[in-house]
RNA sequence: GGCCCGUUCGUCUAGUGGUUAGGACUCCAGGUUUUCAUCCUGGCAACAGGAGUUCGAUUCUCCUACGGGCUACCA
């Protein structure tokens, strides 16, 4: 089921970095396009000079690139299309579908406070003379769309039929008093000019869609197909925002998540293929994606599940790829160590790390002697001087090992435990504390093998000096 | 205030006019392990409420409640 003529777009406004909701909208557009062999475009909606900032544009582009959501044509900037919009306004004015409104912001506000939620139509039917008079007086004006009686219906790919009576829509503003066009107006022109076939965006636009359809009609354009995605919610079921501490996409990169993990989690938020599969590769996502299986209700953001999915990816990734990925975020990690050493570390840690930053944190003791010892670990495994005695007694065993390999190390530990009639843990755990500073981690035999005899003995002696005090 | 949309375990969700309402995350218990993680086993936990249609409704219809969105010279 391919359709190469399909064109979709992601159209963020650069008023902040790319957030979770935006990323998912972009993803669904992208998946929809890929699945059918269509095109995915990117457009920056920067018509609001007050809030738009170039640095955010750069960040958004960067985030999308990191996610791997590549776009098929040069980015379109609305701020560079102002002339196009002007032409359209002119045409609409000449045909009488748009008119000047001289009402001041203050007037409109007082009217609203008085309970009139809609524009009362004050300037709807001004005569030529009245308009000239106001123009001569230098009164600023906005342009409004003249709403006609009737109803507008459209078929939403996700929400089904949506019908709104024009009575509910007032003559909304399409050009501000400073001459800049508003969103609901330019979005139509851009989507038309870019030949967009499917407009896939957030549910917050459902109510805007009838207005936009009216613009399509006024301009004589054929409208695209619309699909609205449910919102992503915070734990209080309100739309996810910075208030919830929701991080931008950049943060996930910095925290060492695979883009694929984030994307996969995002995809399952509001969509699922109806199978019991939980972890998808990007290709599988593309293959399975279908708008008809998108949920209508908002979905609560759950960091824990993302964390779990991320763990799945890390666990299943190849060690070489992990090394490459860790290094791309933290170029200094393991600097000066042999690649084979780093590969071994990752091999040991990949089943325990959920992100690259966890690799960094958990691998500390492979590179540096512990500076402190985990308190809870000490309490359990190095309570008193008896631990010192045991660990000291173990040192000669270390000296005796001819092949410093995990197999021989294991034999040494076991024979120590046997001849001292203590459990294996009684000797392993204190050694672990001495060498790693923490009770948690991979097999001690593997750690010691990697560290080598000298470092091991050195760390044990240091610990004997410092502990238990 | 008006209009639009939504409502299955705490969360993401599957599903059907007749099911022990399924899976996943989380949480809990047990097993494996030197520890942690992994892995395995098991457990807790849901059809918002009320009418109607029907032999039978979680499923269809209506109402209510609750939640969300829009109602900007934001997008």
């Amino acid at each position: 089921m391919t359709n190469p003529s399909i064109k979709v777009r992601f159209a963020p406004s650069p008023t902040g970095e790319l957030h979770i909701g935006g990323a998912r909208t972009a993803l669904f557009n992208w998946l929809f396009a890929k699945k059918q062999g269509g095109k995915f475009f990117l457009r920056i909606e920067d018509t609001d000079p007050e809030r738009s900032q170039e640095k955010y544009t750069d960040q958004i582009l960067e985030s999308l690139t990191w996610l791997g959501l590549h776009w098929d044509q040069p980015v379109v900037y609305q701020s560079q299309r102002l002339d196009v919009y002007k032409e359209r306004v002119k045409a609409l004015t000449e045909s009488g579908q748009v008119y000047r409104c001289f009402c001041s912001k203050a007037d409109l506000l007082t009217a609203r406070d008085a309970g009139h939620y809609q524009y009362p139509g004050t300037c709807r039917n001004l005569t030529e003379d009245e308009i000239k008079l106001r123009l001569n007086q230098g009164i600023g004006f906005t342009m409004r769309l003249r709403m006609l009686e009737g109803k507008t219906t459209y078929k939403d790919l996700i929400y089904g039929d949506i019908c709104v009576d024009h009575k509910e829509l007032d003559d909304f503003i399409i050009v501000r008093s400073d001459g800049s066009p508003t969103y609901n107006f330019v979005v139509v022109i851009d989507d038309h000019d870019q030949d967009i076939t499917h407009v896939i965006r957030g549910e917050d636009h459902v109510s805007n869609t009838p207005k936009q359809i009216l613009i399509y009609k006024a301009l004589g354009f054929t409208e695209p197909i619309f699909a609205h995605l449910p919102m992503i919610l915070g734990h209080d079921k309100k739309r996810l925002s910075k208030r919830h501490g929701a991080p931008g996409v950049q943060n996930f990169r910095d925290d060492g998540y695979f883009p694929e993990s984030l994307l996969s989690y995002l995809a399952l938020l509001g969509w699922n293929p109806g199978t019991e599969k939980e972890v998808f590769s990007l290709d599988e996502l593309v293959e399975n994606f279908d708008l008809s299986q998108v949920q209508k209700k908002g979905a609560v953001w759950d960091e824990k599940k993302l964390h779990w999915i991320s763990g799945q990816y890390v666990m299943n990734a190849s060690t070489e790829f992990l090394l490459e990925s860790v290094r791309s975020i933290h170029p200094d990690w393991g600097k000066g160590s042999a690649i084979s050493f780093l590969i071994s570390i990752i091999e040991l840690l990949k089943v325990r790390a959920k992100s690259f930053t966890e690799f960094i944190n958990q691998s500390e003791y492979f590179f540096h002697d512990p500076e402190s010892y985990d308190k809870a670990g000490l309490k359990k495994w190095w309570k008193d001087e008896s631990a010192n005695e045991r660990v000291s007694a173990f040192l000669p065993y270390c000296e005796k090992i001819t092949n410093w390999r995990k197999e021989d190390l294991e034999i040494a530990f076991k024979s120590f435990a046997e001849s001292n009639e203590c459990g294996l843990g009684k000797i392993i755990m204190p050694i672990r504390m001495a060498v790693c500073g923490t009770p948690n981690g991979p097999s001690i035999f593997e750690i010691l093998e990697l560290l080598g005899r000298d470092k091991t003995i050195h760390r044990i002696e240091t610990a004997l000096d410092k502990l238990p005090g």
Side-chain angles (χ1 to χ4, degrees):
Chain A
M1 249 250 299
T2 60
N3 184 353
S5 65
I6 277 180
K7 295 189 183 77
V8 297
R9 84 312 194 264
F10 174 55
S13 57
T15 55
E17 59 183 319
L18 183 66
H19 51 90
I20 299 299
R24 194 191 52 168
T25 303
L27 171 64
F28 280 29
N29 272 285
W30 186 86
L31 288 174
F32 183 76
K34 289 293 154 205
K35 168 82 182 278
Q36 315 198 49
K39 301 280 187 213
F40 171 70
F41 301 152
L42 181 60
R43 184 169 74 228
I44 300 295
E45 311 226 309
D46 52 356
T47 52
D48 182 6
E50 300 259 313
R51 301 199 307 148
S52 299
Q53 288 187 39
E54 213 175 308
K55 67 168 180 186
Y56 290 133
T57 300
D58 296 341
Q59 275 192 11
I60 290 169
L61 263 44
E62 209 181 311
S63 293
L64 286 171
T65 304
W66 175 71
L67 286 171
L69 268 21
H70 304 296
W71 50 96
D72 291 311
Q73 271 185 2
V75 181
V76 170
Y77 294 86
Q78 289 187 329
S79 57
Q80 292 172 6
R81 289 173 42 81
L82 264 20
D83 291 343
V84 177
Y85 308 138
K86 268 192 191 127
E87 278 304 306
R88 296 297 183 182
V89 176
K90 207 174 142 201
L92 288 180
T93 312
E94 280 163 8
S95 64
Q97 296 175 93
V98 150
Y99 64 90
R100 292 186 181 86
C101 171
F102 296 92
C103 298
S104 73
K105 242 186 219 177
D107 289 346
L108 295 170
L109 226 71
T110 38
R112 189 167 312 123
D113 288 345
H116 298 99
Y117 283 85
Q118 286 197 352
Y119 173 65
T122 319
C123 305
R124 199 165 207 256
N125 297 308
L126 294 179
T127 64
E128 283 297 315
D129 289 344
E130 286 170 321
I131 292 174
K132 265 189 192 135
L133 179 70
R134 285 167 172 75
L135 250 24
N136 288 335
Q137 286 172 331
I139 300 176
F141 61 88
T142 59
M143 306 294 288
R144 289 181 183 271
L145 184 76
R146 192 183 298 278
M147 198 63 59
L148 301 163
E149 281 190 8
K151 289 180 180 180
T152 291
T153 304
Y154 76 97
K155 195 174 203 66
D156 193 291
L157 248 30
I158 289 157
Y159 285 94
D161 290 329
I162 306 275
C163 180
V164 170
D165 195 311
H166 295 358
K167 285 203 275 281
E168 304 298 335
L169 278 18
D170 54 4
D171 291 355
F172 60 94
I173 292 174
I174 64 163
V175 181
R176 302 186 187 92
S177 49
D178 67 358
S180 63
T182 60
Y183 167 76
N184 279 128
F185 179 58
V186 295
V187 71
V188 169
I189 298 171
D190 290 333
D191 284 336
H192 171 265
D193 288 356
Q194 288 194 94
D195 206 13
I196 300 298
T197 58
H198 294 71
V199 170
I200 305 169
R201 76 239 287 200
E203 196 220 293
D204 46 340
H205 286 294
V206 168
S207 308
N208 285 327
T209 304
K211 295 184 193 173
Q212 291 166 17
I213 289 176
L214 258 13
I215 302 271
Y216 276 99
K217 289 195 169 135
L219 254 15
F221 298 161
T222 49
E223 48 205 87
I225 295 166
F226 294 96
H228 290 94
L229 273 15
M231 303 272 89
I232 296 179
L233 278 21
H235 282 288
D236 56 0
K237 304 268 184 174
K238 299 220 186 294
R239 188 201 197 138
L240 191 68
S241 71
K242 281 129 260 149
R243 275 190 313 102
H244 296 95
V249 168
Q250 307 268 29
N251 289 284
F252 292 97
R253 183 198 60 187
D254 298 343
D255 285 350
Y257 285 97
F258 277 129
E260 225 176 8
S261 315
L262 218 210
L263 256 18
S264 181
Y265 173 66
L266 245 21
L268 270 309
L269 211 51
W271 167 83
N272 85 81
T275 64
E276 288 183 354
K277 193 172 168 62
E278 299 284 343
V279 182
F280 295 81
S281 69
L282 255 194
D283 287 342
E284 288 169 329
L285 246 28
V286 170
E287 194 181 319
N288 289 288
F289 187 73
D290 190 344
L291 275 180
S292 71
Q293 319 212 52
V294 172
Q295 204 78 15
K296 290 189 182 77
K297 71 164 180 174
V300 176
W301 171 260
D302 179 10
E303 186 110 34
K304 286 218 172 103
K305 189 139 187 184
L306 167 66
H307 205 241
W308 176 79
I309 286 188
S310 180
Q312 298 293 307
Y313 277 95
V314 171
M315 223 183 304
N316 294 321
S318 86
T319 302
E320 289 73 17
F321 180 62
L322 283 171
L323 175 59
E324 211 175 282
S325 306
V326 173
R327 280 252 164 116
S328 72
I329 302 294
H330 302 275
D332 288 342
W333 183 74
K335 214 172 186 179
S337 299
I339 294 294
S340 61
F341 182 64
L342 300 180
I343 292 273
S344 303
I345 293 174
I346 290 179
E347 200 66 48
L348 289 180
L349 293 181
K350 72 198 262 188
V351 78
R352 291 158 240 265
K354 310 287 189 204
S355 69
F356 308 146
T357 43
E358 291 192 354
F359 271 118
I360 315 280
N361 296 337
Q362 294 181 19
S363 62
E364 194 45 28
Y365 54 78
F366 285 103
F367 306 111
H368 307 287
D369 294 350
E371 284 171 15
S372 63
Y373 303 93
D374 178 81
K375 269 181 113 180
L378 286 183
K379 203 174 164 196
K380 186 156 185 203
W381 302 107
W382 203 305
K383 270 188 279 223
D384 48 39
E385 288 291 336
S386 70
N388 292 255
E389 285 166 27
R390 219 174 312 124
V391 170
S392 308
F394 184 69
L395 275 176
Y397 283 74
C398 289
E399 309 280 5
K400 264 190 292 185
I401 295 171
T402 42
N403 268 325
W404 192 263
R405 301 241 164 257
K406 59 178 182 236
E407 294 83 3
D408 293 33
L409 281 157
E410 188 167 353
I411 293 169
F413 273 98
K414 282 187 172 154
S415 78
F416 176 89
E418 240 172 73
S419 32
N420 290 273
E421 293 182 338
C422 71
L424 204 45
K426 283 274 187 196
I427 183 60
I428 283 181
M429 292 312 288
I431 296 288
R432 187 187 280 284
M433 289 305 299
V435 172
C436 306
T438 159
N440 303 337
S443 155
I444 189 69
F445 314 125
E446 308 227 30
I447 295 175
L448 296 188
E449 175 181 325
L450 273 178
L451 249 24
R453 190 200 310 263
D454 293 350
K455 269 189 196 146
T456 302
I457 291 178
H458 172 70
R459 288 186 189 184
I460 291 174
E461 284 171 343
T462 308
L464 283 170
D465 272 352
K466 289 191 187 168
L467 298 175

